[in-house]
Amino acid sequence: MDCVFCKIISGEISSKKVYEDEKILAFHDLDSKAPVHVLVIPKKHIVSVEKLSDCDQGLIGHVFLKIAIIARELGCNGGYRIVNNCGKLGGQTVNHLHFHILGGRAMSWPPG
Ligand code: AMP
Ligand code: ZN
């Protein structure tokens, strides 16, 4: 499948991994927008939040529980932002579900 994140999961494309288990992978974003910028992805190829199904409930719960642990381990003690861009108008550029962890600086609101 021609999916950059599936290729990262398979090892065909290298990444700077910060966490991995049987269900998810977390790695540093190539084009970081904050001192901490990590992407957390399910190993299952799901295009976007829009394409989630009932059977993904446990997986998404797992993703969020691990996001909190990963952010803590990366030193985001004062807070951080979790971002999901969904679909073209949402700013999604990679069509494999992913959550950004952004931290290490104060975040502004609203995002652009
Ligand atoms: P989004 O715009 O929400 O779809 O986010 C996609 C993110 O993936 C962007 O922040 C890119 O910098 C990041 N990205 C794309 N290719 C790679 C890669 N090979 N390794 C790490 N991050 C990547
Ligand atoms: Zn994929």
Short mmCIF file of all heavy atoms in Angstrom, two decimals, residues 27-74:
data_model
loop_
_atom_site.label_atom_id
_atom_site.label_comp_id
_atom_site.label_asym_id
_atom_site.label_seq_id
_atom_site.Cartn_x
_atom_site.Cartn_y
_atom_site.Cartn_z
N PHE A 27 6.48 8.35 16.87
CA PHE A 27 7.77 8.77 16.32
C PHE A 27 7.78 10.29 16.14
O PHE A 27 6.73 10.93 16.05
CB PHE A 27 8.05 8.06 14.97
CG PHE A 27 6.96 8.20 13.95
CD1 PHE A 27 7.01 9.21 12.99
CD2 PHE A 27 5.86 7.34 13.96
CE1 PHE A 27 5.99 9.34 12.05
CE2 PHE A 27 4.83 7.48 13.02
CZ PHE A 27 4.91 8.47 12.07
N HIS A 28 9.00 10.83 16.08
CA HIS A 28 9.13 12.28 15.92
C HIS A 28 8.68 12.72 14.53
O HIS A 28 9.01 12.07 13.53
CB HIS A 28 10.59 12.70 16.15
CG HIS A 28 11.03 12.56 17.57
ND1 HIS A 28 10.73 13.50 18.53
CD2 HIS A 28 11.74 11.59 18.19
CE1 HIS A 28 11.24 13.11 19.69
NE2 HIS A 28 11.86 11.95 19.51
N ASP A 29 7.94 13.83 14.49
CA ASP A 29 7.55 14.42 13.21
C ASP A 29 8.80 14.96 12.51
O ASP A 29 9.67 15.55 13.14
CB ASP A 29 6.53 15.55 13.45
CG ASP A 29 5.79 15.94 12.18
OD1 ASP A 29 6.44 16.46 11.24
OD2 ASP A 29 4.57 15.73 12.12
N LEU A 30 8.86 14.74 11.21
CA LEU A 30 10.00 15.21 10.39
C LEU A 30 10.12 16.72 10.40
O LEU A 30 11.21 17.25 10.34
CB LEU A 30 9.78 14.79 8.92
CG LEU A 30 10.43 13.55 8.37
CD1 LEU A 30 10.22 13.52 6.85
CD2 LEU A 30 11.92 13.54 8.69
N ASP A 31 8.98 17.39 10.45
CA ASP A 31 8.93 18.84 10.28
C ASP A 31 8.33 19.43 11.55
O ASP A 31 7.19 19.90 11.57
CB ASP A 31 8.05 19.14 9.05
CG ASP A 31 7.97 20.62 8.75
OD1 ASP A 31 8.84 21.37 9.22
OD2 ASP A 31 7.01 21.03 8.05
N SER A 32 9.12 19.41 12.63
CA SER A 32 8.54 19.70 13.95
C SER A 32 8.09 21.15 14.07
O SER A 32 8.77 22.07 13.62
CB SER A 32 9.52 19.32 15.06
OG SER A 32 10.67 20.08 14.94
N LYS A 33 6.94 21.30 14.68
CA LYS A 33 6.32 22.61 14.86
C LYS A 33 6.39 23.08 16.31
O LYS A 33 5.81 24.11 16.67
CB LYS A 33 4.84 22.53 14.44
CG LYS A 33 4.64 22.14 12.98
CD LYS A 33 5.01 23.29 12.04
CE LYS A 33 4.56 23.04 10.62
NZ LYS A 33 5.57 22.39 9.78
N ALA A 34 7.11 22.34 17.13
CA ALA A 34 7.26 22.68 18.55
C ALA A 34 8.47 21.89 19.07
O ALA A 34 8.90 20.92 18.42
CB ALA A 34 6.00 22.30 19.32
N PRO A 35 9.03 22.29 20.22
CA PRO A 35 10.17 21.53 20.75
C PRO A 35 9.87 20.03 20.90
O PRO A 35 10.75 19.20 20.70
CB PRO A 35 10.42 22.20 22.12
CG PRO A 35 9.94 23.60 21.93
CD PRO A 35 8.74 23.50 21.02
N VAL A 36 8.65 19.70 21.26
CA VAL A 36 8.20 18.30 21.23
C VAL A 36 7.13 18.19 20.15
O VAL A 36 6.13 18.92 20.19
CB VAL A 36 7.61 17.85 22.59
CG1 VAL A 36 6.98 16.47 22.47
CG2 VAL A 36 8.67 17.88 23.69
N HIS A 37 7.36 17.35 19.17
CA HIS A 37 6.34 17.12 18.14
C HIS A 37 6.45 15.65 17.71
O HIS A 37 7.34 15.26 16.95
CB HIS A 37 6.54 18.04 16.93
CG HIS A 37 5.41 17.98 15.95
ND1 HIS A 37 5.29 18.84 14.88
CD2 HIS A 37 4.31 17.16 15.89
CE1 HIS A 37 4.19 18.55 14.19
NE2 HIS A 37 3.58 17.53 14.78
N VAL A 38 5.54 14.89 18.26
CA VAL A 38 5.54 13.43 18.05
C VAL A 38 4.20 13.04 17.43
O VAL A 38 3.16 13.64 17.74
CB VAL A 38 5.79 12.72 19.41
CG1 VAL A 38 5.41 11.25 19.35
CG2 VAL A 38 7.24 12.88 19.82
N LEU A 39 4.25 12.06 16.54
CA LEU A 39 3.02 11.52 15.94
C LEU A 39 2.75 10.15 16.54
O LEU A 39 3.68 9.34 16.69
CB LEU A 39 3.20 11.37 14.43
CG LEU A 39 3.50 12.66 13.67
CD1 LEU A 39 3.82 12.35 12.20
CD2 LEU A 39 2.35 13.65 13.77
N VAL A 40 1.50 9.92 16.89
CA VAL A 40 1.09 8.61 17.42
C VAL A 40 0.10 8.01 16.42
O VAL A 40 -0.91 8.64 16.08
CB VAL A 40 0.45 8.75 18.81
CG1 VAL A 40 0.08 7.38 19.37
CG2 VAL A 40 1.40 9.48 19.77
N ILE A 41 0.42 6.82 15.94
CA ILE A 41 -0.42 6.20 14.90
C ILE A 41 -0.79 4.76 15.29
O ILE A 41 0.01 4.06 15.92
CB ILE A 41 0.29 6.20 13.52
CG1 ILE A 41 1.52 5.28 13.51
CG2 ILE A 41 0.70 7.61 13.11
CD1 ILE A 41 2.17 5.13 12.13
N PRO A 42 -1.99 4.34 14.90
CA PRO A 42 -2.31 2.92 15.04
C PRO A 42 -1.57 2.14 13.95
O PRO A 42 -1.36 2.67 12.85
CB PRO A 42 -3.83 2.86 14.81
CG PRO A 42 -4.13 4.05 13.96
CD PRO A 42 -3.09 5.11 14.29
N LYS A 43 -1.19 0.92 14.22
CA LYS A 43 -0.55 0.11 13.18
C LYS A 43 -1.56 -0.32 12.12
O LYS A 43 -1.19 -0.58 10.99
CB LYS A 43 0.15 -1.10 13.81
CG LYS A 43 1.38 -0.68 14.60
CD LYS A 43 2.20 -1.86 15.07
CE LYS A 43 3.51 -1.37 15.67
NZ LYS A 43 4.33 -2.47 16.22
N LYS A 44 -2.80 -0.38 12.51
CA LYS A 44 -3.87 -0.67 11.55
C LYS A 44 -4.04 0.55 10.63
O LYS A 44 -4.12 1.68 11.12
CB LYS A 44 -5.18 -0.94 12.31
CG LYS A 44 -6.38 -1.19 11.44
CD LYS A 44 -7.63 -1.40 12.31
CE LYS A 44 -8.88 -1.56 11.45
NZ LYS A 44 -10.10 -1.65 12.29
N HIS A 45 -4.09 0.32 9.33
CA HIS A 45 -4.30 1.44 8.41
C HIS A 45 -5.75 1.87 8.45
O HIS A 45 -6.63 1.20 7.91
CB HIS A 45 -3.89 1.07 6.97
CG HIS A 45 -4.09 2.21 6.02
ND1 HIS A 45 -3.13 3.18 5.78
CD2 HIS A 45 -5.17 2.57 5.27
CE1 HIS A 45 -3.60 4.07 4.93
NE2 HIS A 45 -4.84 3.72 4.60
N ILE A 46 -5.98 3.01 9.10
CA ILE A 46 -7.30 3.66 9.13
C ILE A 46 -7.07 5.03 8.51
O ILE A 46 -6.12 5.73 8.90
CB ILE A 46 -7.82 3.81 10.58
CG1 ILE A 46 -7.95 2.43 11.26
CG2 ILE A 46 -9.15 4.56 10.59
CD1 ILE A 46 -8.19 2.50 12.77
N VAL A 47 -7.87 5.43 7.56
CA VAL A 47 -7.61 6.66 6.81
C VAL A 47 -7.73 7.90 7.69
O VAL A 47 -6.87 8.79 7.65
CB VAL A 47 -8.54 6.74 5.58
CG1 VAL A 47 -8.48 8.11 4.91
CG2 VAL A 47 -8.14 5.66 4.57
N SER A 48 -8.79 7.97 8.48
CA SER A 48 -9.01 9.17 9.30
C SER A 48 -10.05 8.85 10.37
O SER A 48 -10.67 7.78 10.37
CB SER A 48 -9.52 10.33 8.43
OG SER A 48 -10.85 10.07 8.03
N VAL A 49 -10.29 9.83 11.25
CA VAL A 49 -11.33 9.68 12.27
C VAL A 49 -12.68 9.35 11.61
O VAL A 49 -13.47 8.56 12.13
CB VAL A 49 -11.42 10.97 13.12
CG1 VAL A 49 -12.70 11.02 13.94
CG2 VAL A 49 -10.21 11.11 14.02
N GLU A 50 -12.87 9.95 10.45
CA GLU A 50 -14.12 9.76 9.69
C GLU A 50 -14.36 8.29 9.35
O GLU A 50 -15.49 7.87 9.16
CB GLU A 50 -13.98 10.59 8.40
CG GLU A 50 -15.21 10.84 7.62
CD GLU A 50 -16.18 11.76 8.34
OE1 GLU A 50 -15.77 12.51 9.24
OE2 GLU A 50 -17.35 11.71 7.98
N LYS A 51 -13.30 7.52 9.27
CA LYS A 51 -13.39 6.12 8.83
C LYS A 51 -13.33 5.13 10.00
O LYS A 51 -13.21 3.92 9.78
CB LYS A 51 -12.28 5.80 7.83
CG LYS A 51 -12.32 6.64 6.58
CD LYS A 51 -13.53 6.29 5.72
CE LYS A 51 -13.56 7.12 4.44
NZ LYS A 51 -14.84 7.02 3.74
N LEU A 52 -13.38 5.63 11.23
CA LEU A 52 -13.36 4.72 12.37
C LEU A 52 -14.64 3.89 12.41
O LEU A 52 -15.71 4.37 12.03
CB LEU A 52 -13.24 5.53 13.67
CG LEU A 52 -11.86 6.12 13.97
CD1 LEU A 52 -11.95 7.12 15.12
CD2 LEU A 52 -10.86 5.02 14.27
N SER A 53 -14.51 2.67 12.90
CA SER A 53 -15.72 1.86 13.07
C SER A 53 -15.80 1.38 14.52
O SER A 53 -14.85 1.55 15.31
CB SER A 53 -15.73 0.69 12.10
OG SER A 53 -14.53 -0.01 12.16
N ASP A 54 -16.93 0.79 14.87
CA ASP A 54 -17.17 0.37 16.26
C ASP A 54 -16.04 -0.50 16.79
O ASP A 54 -15.67 -0.41 17.96
CB ASP A 54 -18.50 -0.39 16.36
CG ASP A 54 -19.69 0.56 16.30
OD1 ASP A 54 -19.48 1.78 16.40
OD2 ASP A 54 -20.82 0.07 16.13
N CYS A 55 -15.47 -1.32 15.93
CA CYS A 55 -14.44 -2.24 16.40
C CYS A 55 -13.13 -1.52 16.75
O CYS A 55 -12.22 -2.13 17.31
CB CYS A 55 -14.18 -3.35 15.38
SG CYS A 55 -13.44 -2.74 13.87
N ASP A 56 -13.03 -0.22 16.44
CA ASP A 56 -11.81 0.54 16.75
C ASP A 56 -11.86 1.23 18.12
O ASP A 56 -10.90 1.90 18.50
CB ASP A 56 -11.57 1.59 15.65
CG ASP A 56 -11.35 0.97 14.29
OD1 ASP A 56 -10.63 -0.05 14.22
OD2 ASP A 56 -11.89 1.48 13.30
N GLN A 57 -12.97 1.06 18.85
CA GLN A 57 -13.10 1.77 20.12
C GLN A 57 -11.96 1.50 21.08
O GLN A 57 -11.40 2.42 21.68
CB GLN A 57 -14.41 1.37 20.81
CG GLN A 57 -15.61 2.08 20.28
CD GLN A 57 -16.85 1.84 21.14
OE1 GLN A 57 -16.73 1.69 22.35
NE2 GLN A 57 -17.99 1.79 20.51
N GLY A 58 -11.62 0.23 21.24
CA GLY A 58 -10.55 -0.14 22.17
C GLY A 58 -9.22 0.42 21.72
O GLY A 58 -8.41 0.88 22.54
N LEU A 59 -8.98 0.38 20.42
CA LEU A 59 -7.73 0.88 19.85
C LEU A 59 -7.56 2.38 20.13
O LEU A 59 -6.49 2.83 20.55
CB LEU A 59 -7.72 0.62 18.33
CG LEU A 59 -6.55 1.17 17.54
CD1 LEU A 59 -5.22 0.60 18.03
CD2 LEU A 59 -6.74 0.88 16.04
N ILE A 60 -8.63 3.13 19.95
CA ILE A 60 -8.54 4.58 20.15
C ILE A 60 -8.37 4.90 21.64
O ILE A 60 -7.61 5.81 22.00
CB ILE A 60 -9.79 5.29 19.55
CG1 ILE A 60 -9.80 5.07 18.03
CG2 ILE A 60 -9.79 6.77 19.86
CD1 ILE A 60 -8.51 5.47 17.31
N GLY A 61 -9.02 4.15 22.48
CA GLY A 61 -8.79 4.33 23.93
C GLY A 61 -7.33 4.06 24.27
O GLY A 61 -6.70 4.82 25.02
N HIS A 62 -6.78 3.02 23.69
CA HIS A 62 -5.37 2.67 23.91
C HIS A 62 -4.46 3.81 23.44
O HIS A 62 -3.53 4.20 24.15
CB HIS A 62 -5.06 1.38 23.13
CG HIS A 62 -3.66 0.89 23.29
ND1 HIS A 62 -3.20 0.28 24.43
CD2 HIS A 62 -2.61 0.93 22.44
CE1 HIS A 62 -1.93 -0.04 24.27
NE2 HIS A 62 -1.54 0.35 23.08
N VAL A 63 -4.75 4.36 22.25
CA VAL A 63 -3.96 5.47 21.73
C VAL A 63 -3.92 6.62 22.74
O VAL A 63 -2.84 7.14 23.07
CB VAL A 63 -4.54 5.96 20.37
CG1 VAL A 63 -3.97 7.33 19.99
CG2 VAL A 63 -4.27 4.95 19.26
N PHE A 64 -5.08 7.00 23.28
CA PHE A 64 -5.12 8.17 24.16
C PHE A 64 -4.46 7.90 25.51
O PHE A 64 -3.78 8.78 26.07
CB PHE A 64 -6.55 8.69 24.31
CG PHE A 64 -6.89 9.66 23.21
CD1 PHE A 64 -7.30 9.20 21.97
CD2 PHE A 64 -6.72 11.02 23.39
CE1 PHE A 64 -7.56 10.09 20.93
CE2 PHE A 64 -6.97 11.92 22.36
CZ PHE A 64 -7.39 11.46 21.12
N LEU A 65 -4.62 6.70 26.02
CA LEU A 65 -3.93 6.39 27.28
C LEU A 65 -2.42 6.45 27.09
O LEU A 65 -1.69 6.95 27.94
CB LEU A 65 -4.37 5.01 27.79
CG LEU A 65 -5.81 4.96 28.30
CD1 LEU A 65 -6.24 3.52 28.53
CD2 LEU A 65 -5.96 5.76 29.59
N LYS A 66 -1.95 5.97 25.95
CA LYS A 66 -0.50 5.99 25.68
C LYS A 66 -0.01 7.40 25.37
O LYS A 66 1.12 7.75 25.70
CB LYS A 66 -0.15 5.04 24.52
CG LYS A 66 -0.34 3.58 24.86
CD LYS A 66 0.55 3.14 26.01
CE LYS A 66 0.28 1.68 26.36
NZ LYS A 66 1.01 1.25 27.57
N ILE A 67 -0.84 8.22 24.73
CA ILE A 67 -0.45 9.61 24.47
C ILE A 67 -0.08 10.29 25.79
O ILE A 67 0.94 10.97 25.89
CB ILE A 67 -1.59 10.38 23.75
CG1 ILE A 67 -1.59 10.01 22.26
CG2 ILE A 67 -1.42 11.90 23.92
CD1 ILE A 67 -2.76 10.61 21.46
N ALA A 68 -0.89 10.10 26.81
CA ALA A 68 -0.61 10.75 28.10
C ALA A 68 0.72 10.26 28.67
O ALA A 68 1.51 11.06 29.21
CB ALA A 68 -1.75 10.47 29.07
N ILE A 69 0.99 8.98 28.54
CA ILE A 69 2.26 8.43 29.07
C ILE A 69 3.45 8.94 28.25
O ILE A 69 4.47 9.36 28.81
CB ILE A 69 2.19 6.89 29.07
CG1 ILE A 69 1.14 6.42 30.09
CG2 ILE A 69 3.56 6.28 29.36
CD1 ILE A 69 0.76 4.95 29.98
N ILE A 70 3.30 8.94 26.94
CA ILE A 70 4.39 9.39 26.06
C ILE A 70 4.69 10.88 26.32
O ILE A 70 5.84 11.28 26.45
CB ILE A 70 4.01 9.15 24.57
CG1 ILE A 70 3.96 7.64 24.28
CG2 ILE A 70 5.00 9.85 23.64
CD1 ILE A 70 3.23 7.29 22.98
N ALA A 71 3.65 11.69 26.42
CA ALA A 71 3.85 13.13 26.65
C ALA A 71 4.57 13.37 27.97
O ALA A 71 5.48 14.19 28.06
CB ALA A 71 2.49 13.84 26.64
N ARG A 72 4.18 12.62 28.98
CA ARG A 72 4.84 12.74 30.29
C ARG A 72 6.31 12.36 30.16
O ARG A 72 7.19 13.05 30.66
CB ARG A 72 4.13 11.81 31.28
CG ARG A 72 4.23 12.23 32.72
CD ARG A 72 3.43 11.28 33.62
NE ARG A 72 2.01 11.20 33.29
CZ ARG A 72 1.29 10.07 33.28
NH1 ARG A 72 1.85 8.90 33.58
NH2 ARG A 72 0.01 10.08 32.99
N GLU A 73 6.58 11.27 29.47
CA GLU A 73 7.97 10.81 29.32
C GLU A 73 8.81 11.77 28.49
O GLU A 73 10.03 11.83 28.64
CB GLU A 73 7.99 9.39 28.72
CG GLU A 73 7.63 8.35 29.75
CD GLU A 73 7.55 6.93 29.21
OE1 GLU A 73 7.68 6.76 27.98
OE2 GLU A 73 7.34 6.02 30.02
N LEU A 74 8.16 12.54 27.62
CA LEU A 74 8.89 13.51 26.81
C LEU A 74 9.06 14.84 27.55
O LEU A 74 9.60 15.80 27.01
CB LEU A 74 8.16 13.74 25.48
CG LEU A 74 8.20 12.56 24.51
CD1 LEU A 74 7.26 12.80 23.32
CD2 LEU A 74 9.61 12.30 24.00
#
